[in-house]
Amino acid sequence: MQYLLMIYSNEAEYAKMNPATSQKVSAEFEAFTKDIIQSGNFKAGDRLRPTSTATTVRVKDGKVITTDGPFAETREQLGGYYLIEAKDLDAALGIAARIPSARHGYGSIEVRPIWVYN
């Protein structure tokens, strides 16, 4: 079964991180990614640009409306994701718990099963 692991963190707090800590966290993400690639769990994943680069699209009465920035103000922002293959939810949760931002307490990981269309 496939699961989407959405990585949420506070962009402002992340930006305040000192360079040594930032490099350490980046190295941990790289090691984690290599590990799930080697284990066969990895399907896709990317880091996202900051929410300041986002554009929200809505269609109202047939007219496309765009707004700079994300849809809603939140304490944590979506910063990246992994699409993984796991045998069940417990396995997916175990993989999510190894993501550095979850382990260091500056973020959270939302785990959702992928809806397979028949």
Side-chain angles (χ1 to χ4, degrees):
M1 183 159 201
Q2 290 187 353
Y3 295 87
L4 185 63
L5 312 181
M6 293 174 279
I7 305 165
Y8 288 91
S9 60
N10 185 305
E11 288 178 350
E13 292 299 316
Y14 191 82
K16 292 179 190 175
M17 201 179 288
N18 69 54
T21 302
S22 180
Q23 286 177 340
K24 180 180 181 273
V25 170
S26 291
E28 289 180 25
F29 266 100
E30 186 175 324
F32 170 78
T33 303
K34 284 180 181 178
D35 183 60
I36 65 171
I37 289 170
Q38 290 173 348
S39 70
N41 296 111
F42 181 86
K43 294 295 177 193
D46 279 302
R47 183 175 180 184
L48 301 175
R49 297 276 180 187
T51 56
S52 61
T53 66
T55 303
T56 299
V57 177
R58 294 179 183 82
V59 178
K60 190 168 189 164
D61 299 323
K63 182 178 178 185
V64 176
I65 301 166
T66 60
T67 307
D68 289 342
F71 175 70
E73 292 293 320
T74 61
R75 194 166 102 34
E76 294 181 332
Q77 296 77 39
L78 179 62
Y81 70 94
Y82 288 99
L83 177 62
I84 63 163
E85 182 78 33
K87 67 178 183 171
D88 57 27
L89 179 60
D90 288 337
L93 295 175
I95 293 168
R98 294 175 25 224
I99 294 175
S101 53
R103 291 186 300 106
H104 291 296
Y106 64 83
S108 62
I109 312 303
E110 182 179 342
V111 178
R112 283 210 209 162
I114 298 298
W115 192 307
V116 179
Y117 293 97
N118 293 328

